[in-house]
Amino acid sequence: MKFYGQTIEKEDFFNLVYQICRRIPKGSVTSYGAIAKALGSKTSARMVGWAMNASHNSHEVPAHRVVNRLGQLSGKAHFFPPCRMQELLEKEGLSIKNDKILDFKNHFWDPLLEL
DNA sequence: TTCCTGACGCTTG
DNA sequence: CCAAGCGCCAGGA
């Protein structure tokens, strides 16, 4: 596949995403877009979601700490059971209401700050 | 090949 | 953070 102007294996792309996910501090969250931006901002946030899809098998990634730009648990349906995502986040000290993280901006972690 | 579908996000109104 | 529209890019039918 092509990424940022050059051809790479898609597994390499996945690994870049997973690498960032594993850096998310416990109790913090980030967004698909923020990760995409950290990867060079040339790729759309959809690709990050795509990578998360593949992460649920054979990869240890805290996917529950990745939400959309509004702090909504847009990917909860892909957990088993679906309520699992919310439970994991609440266990890390976050508050969720209507599939949305309360005080999202205050718990947001930007991957770019770690570069 | 074309058309549709997303764990998305920015800009406008 | 109301909603419609557009851009994004890989996969599947």
Side-chain angles (χ1 to χ4, degrees):
Chain A
M1 66 176 277
K2 274 192 190 139
F3 175 69
Y4 200 50
Q6 38 191 316
T7 303
I8 64 173
E9 292 302 315
K10 63 180 174 187
E11 290 201 353
D12 291 333
F13 170 73
F14 290 154
N15 287 331
L16 289 172
V17 175
Y18 302 154
Q19 194 176 320
I20 291 176
C21 288
R22 282 189 280 260
R23 276 174 160 160
I24 303 173
K26 186 177 179 182
S28 295
V29 291
T30 192
S31 69
Y32 303 96
I35 293 174
K37 199 170 185 179
L39 293 178
S41 85
K42 292 290 184 181
T43 187
S44 84
R46 289 185 186 280
M47 295 297 92
V48 177
W50 175 49
M52 300 318 284
N53 256 330
S55 77
H56 67 72
N57 67 61
S58 72
H59 283 98
E60 300 301 324
V61 178
H64 59 284
R65 296 189 191 138
V66 184
V67 297
N68 71 4
R69 76 178 173 104
L70 299 178
Q72 296 175 301
L73 281 50
S74 48
K76 63 177 281 186
H78 299 273
F79 282 76
F80 182 75
C83 58
R84 174 83 178 177
M85 186 176 189
Q86 177 169 339
E87 290 174 355
L88 288 171
L89 288 172
E90 290 179 329
K91 203 159 78 170
E92 296 185 358
L94 297 176
S95 302
I96 289 125
K97 180 156 191 174
N98 291 92
D99 295 340
K100 184 180 62 118
I101 296 175
L102 299 182
D103 199 14
F104 173 59
K105 294 201 76 170
N106 215 247
H107 294 282
F108 183 76
W109 176 82
D110 189 348
L112 290 173
L113 298 180
E114 298 294 309
L115 303 176

